[in-house]
Every structure is written in C-alpha cells, then in structure tokens.
Amino acid sequence: MGISVPSFFKERKFPFIFTLSLLLVCVTVLLFTNTNTPDPLFFYSDVHTPSSAQPVVIASPLPAHASNPITAPPIQNGPVWDETSIPVSVNFNWRLCTGSVAVDYIPCLDNFQAIKALKSRRHMEHRERHCPQPSPRCLEPLPKGYKVPVPWPESRDMIWYDNVPHPKLVEYKKDQNWVKKSDDYLIFPGGGTQFKEGVNHYTDFIEKTLPVIEWGRHVRVVLDVGCGVASFGGYLLDRNVITMSFAPKDEHEAQIQFALERGIPATLSVIGTQRLTFPDNAYDLIHCARCRVHWDADGGKPLLELNRILRPGGFFIWSATPVYRDDDRDKHVWKSMEALTRSMCWDVVAKTVDSTGIGLVIYRKPISFVRYFKRKENKPPICGPKDRKNSSWYVPLSSCVTLPPRSSWPLPWPNRLTSKPPSLATNPEAEEMFYKDTIHWSALVSDAYVNNAAINWSSVRNVMDMNAGYGGFAAALTDQLLWVMNVIPVHVPDTLSVIFDRGLIGIYHDWCESLNTYPRTYDLLHSSFLFENLTQRCDMIDVVVEMDRILRPGGYLVVQDTMEMINKMRPILHSLHWSTAVHKDQFLFGKKGFWRPGRGSSKS
C-alpha cells in the first residue's frame, strides 16, 4: 500500500532518508572518479569555437530560419565522455559561396568561365566536367527554410519543397505526373512520360514481356539513362533491384537533386564526349524511357558506350517513340537503330506495346565474343589494346566494340553478394582475400559502426563509401534501410567490377576534385585509410570542404585511419563547427551541424 507524504513524516522515517542519501553520494563519487575505463559503445564529442574551450553536446545549434532541430541520438550506458577542446592551429577564414547557383553549387559542373570558352556544345560538352583550379573553398549557403529531410520510406513519395525549391520542373511536367507541389511538400505520384499507369504497371509489363529478366533475382543492378526524378529506380527498390539513375545537370531543373532528396540512388552525368565513370561489363540491365539520347550519333558512340558497360547477356530496354510510332522521323530513327544494333551483334528479344499505347524493345548483348568475329564486316571495329579495360576517367568515347570477357553471370541475388565475383582474379590468394575482407567488414560494421551511440542510423539513407575496396562496408549494411554509393578512387587498385558483380553500385572518382552531385545529398560519408596517399596529391582542406558540401546538415562522417591523419582532419572539422569523436585511436566520427559563415568572413 502506498505511503502518503504526511504519513511518511509522521512515521519518522528520517534515518532511512539519511541512509539513502549517503548511498547516492557514494555512488556519485565512484562514477565521477572511475574515468579510466570508458565504455567502447559511447564516444566523447567536442566542437571548437572561438569564444569557449568547453565541449558541447552533439546536437548543433540551428540558424534562425531552420526547422526541425536535429538532436543527438540517445547515449547508451552513461554520459558522453568529454575531453579538452582541441585548439585550431590554423586560421580558417570561411566565406559563403556567392552567385546565382551558390545554394546548389557544383564546382566541376558550374565552372561558367570554362563553359563559356568551349569551342563546341554539339556533343553536350557544356554538361561535362570542367573543374576550376584551384579548388574553391567557399561554403554553400542553406536554402531558406531548409529542414531535416523527410525520412525513408516516406521520402520516396514526398519531400520538403524548401529543401529543393525548384518550381520549373513542376510546371514543365505538370501533365506527365512526375512531380506536383502540395502545400509545403513536393509529391511524387510515381508517374512519368512513359509510365501512364504508374511505375509498378510499367515494370510488371516489362517482366511479363520477358520473364527471364526476373527483377531482383536475375536482374539486380540497373542503369536508368535520363532518369527524370528517378521514379523508375525508386519503385524497383521494392523488388530488390538497385538502380543507378543518371541525367545531366539542368536538362530538367534539379531532377537529380529531387532523386537524391527522395533517397533514391542517382548521379549527375551525361553521354557526351567522354566515357561514363563505370567499369566494363557492369550492369545487368540498362533502361531508357525517352531519354533524349541520339544513340546513332557520331558513328554510334553513345550506344557503343552502353555496350561497354552492359554485362554480357545483359538487356537494354528502349522505351521511346521510334519503337511504336509511324511518322517519318521516328521511322528513320528506328532504321538507324536497327542497323547499329545489328552491327553490334545485339539481339531483339522482345518488341511490344502495352495497354496504354506505350511500346518498348528489349535488346540482349551476346554472351560470347565469338559472334563478333563472324560478322561480314568489321564495323564497328573490335577495340584494341589501347582501349584498356575499365579506363574511364577523362577518357574519350570509343568507336569500337568492347569484347565480352569469358566470365559467367553472377549467382542470383542475394547469393551473389557473398559468393566469389566472376571478375575476381582466378588465383586462390585473391579468393581468400575476398572472403576475409567480407568477414572483416561484417564484424567491423556490426561492432564499431551500427551498434554504437555515435550514429542515429534511423536518420541515415544516402551513404557514400569514399574508398570502397571490394564493397565490404556496403555489403555489411544491406539489411539496413539505406543504399551505398561505392567510390573507387582513381589512384588505388581498381575493384569496381567486383562491386558490381556483388550486386552493388559505384563510380570512379578523384577526390582531389569535386564530385558530380548537388550539395546536401548524403547522410553519411565513410572512408577507410583513404587519406595517407590522397594527401600526397592534394590538400586535405580541399577534401574536407568537399565532404562538407555533399553532406546534409545533421549528417555523419566515419573515418578509419591513422591518428596522424585523424589529428590533421579534426581541426578543420572543428573550424566548420562539426562535432567530432575518436574511438580506439583509429576511428574518427564527425557530425555536421547547420552552421554557415555570415555574409562576411568568419574566422575560427
């Protein structure tokens, strides 16, 4: 039976109160004196500020116009461990980027001086990379009213308008069900130019037309060319298909930015004069729904580029007006396409029209290279030794046919994730190294990353592994509600083919340059022993500025590296008002806040 406050005093239980108070004091003293045995599951946090050397909590202050404050994840098993704030030994005079595209600035795609100097724009040269030198060190301002993004899976269908305040695409595509504005949100109904009854109807139609496609089992890795707002790839996620959606910047305003804000894999790219930043024989299926690419242009170079990155036995789905319309222009395009695909030994395995009147053709790339030697005419010619395998960083498009390798199709998903990749070297040492790497990352991700209090994984959707190796980090996260863009730096051994064989996606990149993505498009950046070799080629400050550009406010950084590299990086992060934490002298955790410098210089 409960005791009331008056009866408690009446019964004179003061000795009990005194004893209880004494015990609480003793426990408190023990907790504050036992600081030499930190729990490995929680981390200390500090932010350097000019006015105070005191550590602060993980949550960063919000600017006046920001909404939905980001709070620190709950700390398990005790308080956050503090340390004395690390002083910034170098003055950083950060400033905001200026100009008409400052909020969405992409240095290598918004170099207007270089674009203006181009002699031609015939082959989309103005949409290709033109990186400024030196790399700019300004910080992109936040859009007015920027909010914490809508979480997945709700974000597939709706995002905050203030985060991507671009109304032109809404108006331009209002009759095609791409995107609509509703109050404070942009709504994505799942339609498109070719998806009159929705994406699910369209993808069902494809699989019924050619059952061997078997979404999510046989076909796992897809490329969507000219993707719009990436609804095709977004809805295929329900079928265990991972789609790399891509389109050029500004062809339709901010379409890739919409896709990434929705939480759908996407990158900015164009089939212009240079190869796409993917390896040979990578994709199980490539899709183009009225993607406005002239495949037969320049001797067929655009389609020959698709042939290079399409897996032997893989499919190309072309859903476009020349497939099903009879006007003179479409007939001419279809005849050109017929001749080109025949010369590349592609087979037409299906050609049909669905109930909405939309038609498509499905081509299949040969499995064996023997057919190329049986052609009556060696045109286009077979690529020679100078067109070396997987060379695709600033490499001109080829006008030759890349021969398929003598490797088999990967095992059905999900077995392909952990089985030996077909492109892996045949020696036993390579296979042993691959399996050890898989086990290593499975254990490390579980112990050091997922099961800790430093990261609120429920807020993480778009992830980038900056130095992906075999893709072990991404493979260990496949059960999470997220996706990983695996990056293979151009100065390290090339393992990107292995990543695609495993049923994952990725790109090549040089981290001494800016990435082809909009600001604020990733929730978590990860790297493992990337910086020692990288900083021999470029300045760490430029790399950190790029990480700050592409990471969303409230997003996380996880770096596994030497303490020498960590100690060099932390002061730069502190000057940007990031929170940081170190674990076991090899893991650096960072969290970006909402801080941006004022209109003038801000010295830290």
Side-chain angles (χ1 to χ4, degrees), residues 244 267 277-278 485-488 496 505-509 515:
M244 178 78 82
T267 186
T277 56
F278 309 124
M485 180 72 83
N486 295 280
V487 179
I488 297 300
L496 194 51
I505 58 172
I507 54 174
Y508 296 111
H509 183 59
L515 191 76

Side-chain angles (χ1 to χ4, degrees), residues 185-205:
Y185 295 96
L186 290 169
I187 308 297
F188 300 89
T193 310
Q194 302 294 87
F195 317 142
K196 293 185 177 181
E197 294 186 10
V199 179
N200 285 330
H201 169 86
Y202 179 77
T203 52
D204 285 342
F205 168 58

Side-chain angles (χ1 to χ4, degrees), residues 93 151 199 202 204 218 233 268 299 304 313 325 366 402 454 496 510-511 532 540 570:
N93 295 306
V199 179
Y202 179 77
D204 285 342
H218 184 67
L268 287 161
L304 286 166
R325 288 186 182 174
T402 304
L496 194 51
D510 185 347
W511 283 110
E532 183 176 357
M540 180 179 283
R570 291 186 81 189

Side-chain angles (χ1 to χ4, degrees), residues 524-544:
L524 186 144
L525 304 178
H526 171 263
S527 76
S528 180
F529 298 102
L530 166 68
F531 290 95
E532 183 176 357
N533 292 330
L534 183 63
T535 51
Q536 295 176 13
R537 303 172 53 247
C538 51
D539 195 320
M540 180 179 283
I541 295 175
D542 295 326
V543 183
V544 174

Side-chain angles (χ1 to χ4, degrees), residues 24 51 114 229 238 257 416 465 544 554 567:
L24 288 172
S51 58
V229 294
D238 293 340
Q257 194 174 16
R416 69 189 282 180
D465 192 352
V544 174
N567 288 334

